[in-house]
Structure formats: C-alpha cells, structure tokens
Amino acid sequence: MIRTPMNNTIKFTVRQLCTTSYVPRVCVVGAGPAGFYAAMHIAKNIKSIKIDIIEKLPVPFGLVRYGVAPDHPEVKNCINQFTKLAKQENINFYGNITLGQDITLEKLRQHYDAILLTYGAEEDRTLSIENETARNIIAARNFVGWYNGHPRDRNLQVDLSGSRAAIIGQGNVALDVARILLSPIDQLKKTDITEIALQAISESKINELYLVGRRGPLHVAFTIKELREQLKLSNCKTIWRENDFIGVEEIVNDLQRPRKRLTELMLKSLKEQKSQACDSNEKSFRPIFFRSPNKFLVDNACVNGIELICNKLLGDKLEDQKCVATEDKEILNCSLVFRSIGYKSIKADESLVFNTSGCVRNENGRIIEDQSSEELAKLYVAGWLGTGPAGVIIHTMSNAFQVAKNICSDLQTGTRCRKDGFDGVKKYLNIPIVDWNGWEKIDEYEVNQGKKSGKPREKVTCINKMLDIATK
Ligand code: FAD
Ligand code: NAP
C-alpha cells in the first residue's frame, strides 16, 4: 500500500487490487442502450466489479422506450437483456438523478474508478430561419416524445386540424412521424402509444403529408424497411414528383447494394403511381426533393406555409454531393410543420469538451482531457454522445462494446485509489432516487393500465406520479 503525502488516499497497484480483492467501481451515466450494453460487456469480462447506472428519468431504456415507434415492438426486445443485467447483484440502477443538475462530474469522479458517459443526444438541430418558433412548427423529437409518453413532452400542443402538413428532413425519424400520422387508427390502438396521442391522431384531418428533402432521391437518409412499411399503408397513396427522378434510372445499377435496392423501390413505386386511379378519400404521402426551407410563413403567429428554395446538386461523387441554392423559390402551403433534421448532444457538465461534430472529444471512447489526476475516475464516452446522433441500436451496441473493452483493459492495468461508489455519492443527493425495484413497480402499473384498453402498457407521463408509484 502507498500513502500519498497529499491526502492520505490509499492506492493499489493491479497486483494489490487482486490480492486485496478490491472491487472496482464503475459509474455509467444514462440508461439507454449504450449504457446497458457497455455495462453488460464490463460485467461479463470482469467478474468482480460494481456498476452503478445513473439515469435522469425515474425509468430506464432511453430512446428504446421514448424514441422507437410504438408500432415497432420487436425493436424493444433488447429490454429483456437489459432487465436481466439490471437484476444482477453487482449492477445498480439509480433513476431520477441528472448529471449536471443533481450531481457534478467532479463529485462523481471522486467516488468511482471509471465513469462512462452515455447520456445520448437530447436536443434537436434547428434550421435557424425566419419564423421557426411560430405555432405548429414542431420538433419531430418532441412529437415522438409526445406519442411515446416522454414526461418532457406530455403537454405538447400540436394542432392536427388542417388538411396539409410537411416534414422537413428525410431520415428514419421523419418516416416514423409520417407513418404514425398516416396509419389506420385501429393499427395504433394495439400499441403502447399514449392515449392522448391516440385520441388526437384519431381526430386528425391531415390527408396530405409532404416529406421535404434538400437533396435528391439518391440521398435519402431513410432505409428500405421503413419506406416499404410506408408504401404498404392501407388507405394512403405515395405520390412522387416525376421530375425529381430525372437521370436516376440510368445510374441505379451502378449504386452500392443497399442504396441500389432502396432506389429501385422508389422507382417501382413511381411507376405504379402512374397506373393507379386517384381516390379522393385516400390520404397521400408526398416526398419532394431538391428543396430547402428558406423561411416559414405565418398567420396570427401560426405557420401557414414554407418558402422553399429550389436546389441543384454540385459535386461528382454521389456521396459528397452538396445542394446549392438556385434563384428559384416556391411556396408550400401547410398548417403544420415537423422539423426532423437530426438530434444533438448537450454539455451536461461544464467540464466536458466537445469536438466540432458535436460529440464529447474522445479517442476510441476515452475522453481526451488536457489534465487528469490519478485520484479521479477515468472518463469514457459511448453511444450517441460519443459517436454523434446517427445509427440504429445495433450500431450503438457495437460502439458500447468497443468502449467497454477499453474500460476493462484500463481497469486491469495501472494504479488507482480505493473508491466507495454510490455510498459516497448519495450524501450529495437530496432527491428521491428510484432503484430497479421502483422501476418494476412503475412497469407493473403501466402494464395493468394498458390491459384496460387492450394495449401492452399505458405509460405514466408525469414524473411525480412515477415517483409516487416507485416509492409506495
Ligand atoms: P439514448 O437512448 O438517448 O439514452 C440516453 C439516456 O441518458 C436516456 O435514458 C436519457 O434520459 C439519459 N440522460 C440524458 N441526460 C442525462 C443526464 N444529464 N444525466 C443522466 N442521464 C441522462 N434504432 C433502431 O435500431 N430501431 C429503431 O426503430 C429506432 N428508432 C428510433 C427512433 C427515434 C425517434 C430515434 C431518435 C432513434 C431511433 N433509433 C432506432 C436509434 C436508437 O434509439 C439509438 O441508436 C440509441 O438509442 C442510442 O443510444 P444511447 O444510449 O446513446 O442514447
Ligand atoms: P438522419 O438520418 O441524420 O436524417 C436527417 C435528415 O435531415 C436528412 O434527410 C438530412 O438531409 C436532413 N437535414 C439535415 N439538416 C438539414 C437542413 N439544414 N435542412 C434540410 N434538411 C436537413 O437523422 P434522424 O432521422 O433524426 O435519425 C437519427 C438516427 O436514428 C438515424 O441513424 C436513423 O437511422 C435512426 N433511426 C432509425 C429508425 C429505424 O430503424 N426504424 C427510426 C428512427 C431513427 P442531408 O442528407 O442532406 O443532410
């Protein structure tokens, strides 16, 4: 054992760690897929370890619970793996604790050997154009949160009484929003969509939904499975603009396989639309390309249209092509707009340094620090906070495993001080904390509420109610 002259902290080398059977303490901040998958990997590879997962909400699972669309229940199966892990004796879940608000990173670092930040990307990107804050211009992030029961979005005001709406952006979130708005209501009734959203969507008058992309059909960010689902919706016709596809058929065979198949599907749908009769009762889904929003038009502080700039593409290589504005503009009249142009991470703690891509500065998940101290926990980042807000759960999983592997390797080498983990942290916290047992009570309550209306669950959307149920 070594006593440091500065503060008398007892340090252990690796060999001593083993012989004195010291159990390293790891803290994971954020209980989404990145946090759970990383914890799973660490727990599997270091048997003698304690992992505490700290989460802002009283409930776990991040975007698996609050992002994944309610009509995609199979995607949420990873929850079973996470639950099994959380029930292990050496894994603890502590909900209702927000990093940066209830506890600082500095304080956490004093009580753990390693801290892994996996708190995701909680904000959305904005367009920074005129009238963007007008009524009925809704961030897709909030709309998704609203239909999925996120407490942050429970009071979202969205007016679905107009007949025409537009979504800006052509990613999978945009397609989720479109599908939820255009699906037959009987299909949604069987899901865990919130009752308030179900009611509002059942009364929705939207029958024309535009999907506005700034580049061309070869650049859409959505994937084939999601487009196929959209094309198959009953009582909804997809209408493409033929001019947007000039030259596409000629190069489709040169594309890489996933892009080729996706483009072929769009071309097939375009051909089919010509031979289909128009039914005025049908809803329509209308992707349009080469258009960037320039400003929103408003009436009485509420959106009533978008001024779009017509773009052309510059650059030879497909993947690098950028859109450039032309002199031409057009107006799309609509009474509701969803902005779905991606998410972004925030600085939960002042000490964090972000890179130019909006992620915590890191090298293979190890946070790059200008100065570090042996007395403090090493810092790591995984998931969307470290990679940027792109990729599906499986991508997040492989990133989390990779970072966890580095954590394991660092924990098995080097020198560190004896840490007390959550026992040391809880003295700073003057808030109700929800443990796994508390979450299980909320879970049971939600499932029981759902049974009353034939749904898998009815989510509790109020934090205070969650806390009441968890602490009963
Ligand atoms: P998150 O899942 O966001 O988890 C972050 C966690 O950190 C959250 O629980 C949050 O509450 C918590 N947190 C935030 N701030 C703090 C703080 N200060 N202190 C403590 N905790 C904090 N992928 C698929 O494979 N299939 C899909 O169908 C699919 N649908 C999606 C739908 C939407 C709308 C979105 C946005 C994404 C979807 N994805 C889907 C992608 C998938 O959700 C992500 O890959 C994955 O959730 C990223 O995991 P994460 O752990 O990095 O972040
Ligand atoms: P995304 O895939 O990055 O798509 C963002 C879209 O917004 C793109 O079409 C992009 O166009 C456009 N955009 C960006 N900035 C813009 C601007 N200033 N003006 C106009 N358009 C702009 O983001 P996302 O849809 O939020 O999805 C995030 C991740 O979650 C993705 O990896 C997605 O696959 C995943 N996800 C998966 C599922 C699923 O599997 N079912 C569901 C939801 C989300 P450019 O290409 O021109 O930049």
Side-chain angles (χ1 to χ4, degrees):
M1 259 182 246
I2 307 159
R3 284 195 185 271
T4 58
M6 293 287 287
N7 58 8
N8 267 5
T9 316
I10 304 164
K11 288 188 180 177
F12 294 83
T13 61
V14 187
R15 181 184 295 265
Q16 285 162 326
L17 275 174
C18 301
T19 52
T20 54
S21 61
Y22 171 65
V23 179
R25 298 321 200 250
V26 174
C27 176
V28 174
V29 180
F36 272 103
Y37 279 123
M40 197 179 286
H41 187 94
I42 298 169
K44 191 172 161 208
N45 287 285
I46 306 183
K47 294 286 169 240
S48 179
I49 192 137
K50 269 198 163 179
I51 305 177
D52 298 331
I53 304 176
I54 287 179
E55 163 61 46
K56 173 180 179 165
L57 293 170
V59 295
F61 309 137
L63 284 168
V64 178
R65 178 174 159 101
Y66 289 123
V68 172
D71 58 344
H72 285 170
E74 70 291 347
V75 178
K76 303 185 192 202
N77 286 343
C78 55
I79 285 178
N80 300 333
Q81 280 175 291
F82 302 160
T83 301
K84 206 170 151 201
L85 177 82
K87 285 174 182 278
Q88 274 182 220
E89 213 187 306
N90 58 341
I91 311 285
N92 288 301
F93 168 78
Y94 297 114
N96 199 40
I97 304 172
T98 303
L99 171 69
Q101 181 185 304
D102 301 314
I103 185 95
T104 61
L105 194 53
E106 171 77 20
K107 284 256 157 52
L108 278 183
R109 291 185 80 173
Q110 291 166 10
H111 299 277
Y112 288 92
D113 296 294
I115 292 175
L116 171 62
L117 302 178
T118 61
Y119 67 78
E122 289 249 296
E123 293 287 314
D124 53 281
R125 298 181 55 222
T126 55
L127 291 155
S128 306
I129 59 172
E130 202 176 323
N131 294 328
E132 199 168 349
T133 54
R135 231 174 331 119
N136 242 20
I137 298 176
I138 313 270
R141 175 181 71 100
N142 297 119
F143 188 67
V144 167
W146 175 70
Y147 65 61
N148 274 327
H150 197 298
R152 176 196 63 211
D153 301 315
R154 63 194 298 257
N155 295 320
L156 184 79
Q157 298 299 311
V158 49
D159 179 355
L160 304 173
S161 63
S163 63
R164 192 186 274 182
I167 304 173
I168 313 281
Q170 296 184 325
N172 279 329
V173 172
L175 276 202
D176 276 357
V177 168
R179 197 179 62 258
I180 293 298
L181 285 168
L182 298 172
S183 285
I185 203 73
D186 284 346
Q187 245 161 270
L188 296 180
K189 272 183 186 160
K190 297 174 239 155
T191 72
D192 67 359
I193 188 170
T194 54
E195 205 49 42
I196 194 162
L198 190 64
Q199 184 62 30
I201 294 169
S202 72
E203 290 164 12
S204 161
K205 295 283 180 288
I206 296 168
N207 61 12
E208 265 182 44
L209 181 59
Y210 284 80
L211 190 80
V212 184
R214 60 179 169 180
R215 297 194 285 164
L218 299 173
H219 300 97
V220 292
F222 55 71
T223 41
I224 193 162
K225 179 177 164 284
E226 284 62 34
L227 175 62
R228 210 175 269 137
E229 268 182 279
Q230 178 61 42
L231 296 177
K232 278 188 185 156
L233 283 189
S234 60
N235 205 35
C236 179
K237 191 172 175 181
T238 299
I239 301 178
W240 309 89
R241 298 204 294 200
E242 216 171 334
N243 276 355
D244 287 339
F245 286 82
I246 291 171
V248 171
E249 190 143 26
E250 287 74 5
I251 60 158
V252 72
N253 284 329
D254 303 334
L255 301 172
Q256 300 271 337
R257 194 166 151 76
R259 178 67 64 189
K260 179 169 178 270
R261 289 184 54 225
L262 175 60
T263 311
E264 283 168 346
L265 182 61
M266 287 189 266
L267 287 168
K268 180 168 171 268
S269 167
L270 171 69
K271 278 185 191 145
E272 283 168 0
Q273 114 193 359
K274 289 188 209 155
S275 57
Q276 280 166 3
C278 213
D279 176 350
S280 56
N281 288 324
E282 255 185 343
K283 293 177 183 173
S284 63
F285 172 64
R286 296 167 180 262
I288 62 173
F289 297 93
F290 306 110
R291 299 291 180 271
S292 287
N294 190 41
K295 67 174 174 189
F296 292 107
L297 309 176
V298 293
D299 180 30
N300 250 334
C302 187
V303 67
N304 71 352
I306 318 170
E307 183 182 274
L308 297 169
I309 293 186
C310 305
N311 296 326
K312 61 179 183 190
L313 288 176
L314 274 194
D316 293 334
K317 273 178 99 186
L318 183 68
E319 49 281 22
D320 301 332
Q321 278 178 334
K322 296 245 171 331
C323 60
V324 220
T326 68
E327 297 285 293
D328 299 333
K329 294 193 179 108
E330 64 185 32
I331 302 290
L332 174 63
N333 292 315
C334 55
S335 57
L336 169 61
V337 176
F338 296 96
R339 186 185 56 223
S340 184
I341 60 166
Y343 286 59
K344 72 173 186 213
S345 295
I346 55 165
K347 230 185 207 197
D349 188 280
E350 265 315 303
S351 65
L352 293 170
V353 180
F354 276 56
N355 62 24
T356 48
S357 325
C359 309
V360 172
R361 201 170 62 171
N362 73 94
E363 226 172 68
N364 303 320
R366 292 183 176 98
I367 292 183
I368 303 167
E369 294 190 90
D370 296 331
Q371 276 183 330
S372 65
S373 152
E374 258 186 30
E375 316 291 322
L376 296 175
K378 278 196 172 184
L379 291 180
Y380 303 84
V381 61
W384 277 16
L385 181 64
T387 61
V392 291
I393 294 168
I394 198 151
H395 299 127
T396 298
M397 179 188 80
S398 48
N399 168 258
F401 284 170
Q402 194 54 51
V403 177
K405 201 171 151 204
N406 292 340
I407 296 176
C408 291
S409 134
D410 292 353
L411 280 175
Q412 284 158 341
T413 54
T415 312
R416 77 186 58 86
C417 316
R418 190 178 270 278
K419 299 297 178 75
D420 54 0
F422 200 73
D423 286 342
V425 167
K426 65 182 176 211
K427 61 176 179 273
Y428 309 119
L429 300 168
N430 191 18
I431 41 167
I433 295 164
V434 178
D435 60 11
W436 197 257
N437 198 264
W439 151 243
E440 284 185 326
K441 288 184 191 167
I442 299 171
D443 185 36
E444 190 186 348
Y445 179 89
E446 290 185 343
V447 171
N448 285 335
Q449 288 301 108
K451 275 184 191 149
K452 295 179 187 165
S453 46
K455 294 162 90 180
R457 72 174 61 235
E458 185 63 49
K459 287 179 193 160
V460 178
T461 61
C462 167
I463 299 262
N464 283 337
K465 183 151 187 192
M466 286 178 180
L467 297 177
D468 273 356
I469 299 167
T471 51
K472 244 184 212 156

